[in-house]
Amino acid sequence: PAIKYALIALAISAVWILFEHFMGWNTTRHDIGQYTRMLPMVLFWVLIFVAVNQSRGSRETYSFNEGLRDGLLMSLLYCAGFTLVILLYQKFLNPDFFTTLKAFTLEQMKAANATDAEIESSMKSMEMSFSDSPVSYFLLFVFSFGWGLILSAIAAREIGRAHV
């Protein structure tokens, strides 16, 4: 189930990213995209619980370690695949993503009367997270996998407890 649900989540995420792109939500409508970009991660988080529950199935025993292993396998596969999808998206389909997102964010911050220090801090954070650099892709993987690890531990604990 871990591999199956990782691939399902990855396929849905890739299709969703293409849908967002063609709707303009990651090109000219970042006001919408700033919210819709969260859907693939939320889907991934939910499917961790589904995968661990499916792995548990009707087995007599299912230890925390087994649940954690299943969740981590799903997280590793999904996060590696998702990072690759984002890399391909930014390299080939939307190479202007960072530029347009940066301009949108700067415009919003100026409209909110952000200080120069706040703007500078936000721009540095964006550079690290979205700049199409090896560091930004590494951080995407690490943070996605970190959340996957946390939710895998919660799923393993709660699903194991629910079947006792």
Side-chain angles (χ1 to χ4, degrees):
I3 294 170
K4 173 182 147 185
Y5 284 104
L7 294 175
I8 289 170
L10 194 55
I12 292 170
S13 295
V15 168
W16 179 253
I17 290 166
L18 289 173
F19 175 76
E20 285 180 303
H21 179 76
F22 291 114
M23 294 299 292
W25 299 343
N26 287 323
T27 55
T28 59
R29 295 298 313 265
H30 288 288
D31 58 316
I32 297 170
Q34 67 184 336
Y35 302 110
T36 63
R37 277 189 286 277
M38 296 303 294
L39 184 70
M41 278 298 132
V42 172
L43 172 68
F44 162 57
W45 297 338
V46 168
L47 288 181
I48 287 173
F49 285 85
V50 173
V52 171
N53 190 50
Q54 290 268 322
S55 292
R56 166 67 166 100
S58 60
R59 289 194 249 171
E60 285 293 317
T61 61
Y62 187 71
S63 71
F64 172 81
N65 288 341
E66 290 172 309
L68 184 62
R69 180 202 63 220
D70 292 337
L72 287 178
L73 175 60
M74 181 182 170
S75 296
L76 180 64
L77 292 173
Y78 177 81
C79 294
F82 185 74
T83 301
L84 179 62
V85 166
I86 295 299
L87 183 145
L88 294 172
Y89 176 74
Q90 282 191 257
K91 290 280 187 199
F92 300 108
L93 192 58
N94 192 1
D96 295 328
F97 173 75
F98 176 64
T99 304
T100 60
L101 180 62
K102 188 175 177 179
F104 168 77
T105 303
L106 187 57
E107 184 180 305
Q108 276 200 319
M109 294 189 79
K110 286 181 178 179
N113 297 316
T115 66
D116 288 341
E118 290 171 329
I119 291 172
E120 183 179 341
S121 174
S122 180
M123 292 299 117
K124 283 182 181 178
S125 176
M126 284 192 66
E127 182 80 28
M128 202 167 55
S129 299
F130 298 105
S131 68
D132 188 33
S133 69
V135 170
S136 67
Y137 296 116
F138 175 74
L139 291 175
L140 173 61
F141 175 81
V142 167
F143 285 116
S144 300
F145 185 75
W147 277 106
L149 171 65
I150 291 166
L151 292 173
S152 295
I154 293 169
R157 179 173 178 245
E158 294 305 315
I159 289 170
R161 186 185 286 176
H163 288 86
V164 173

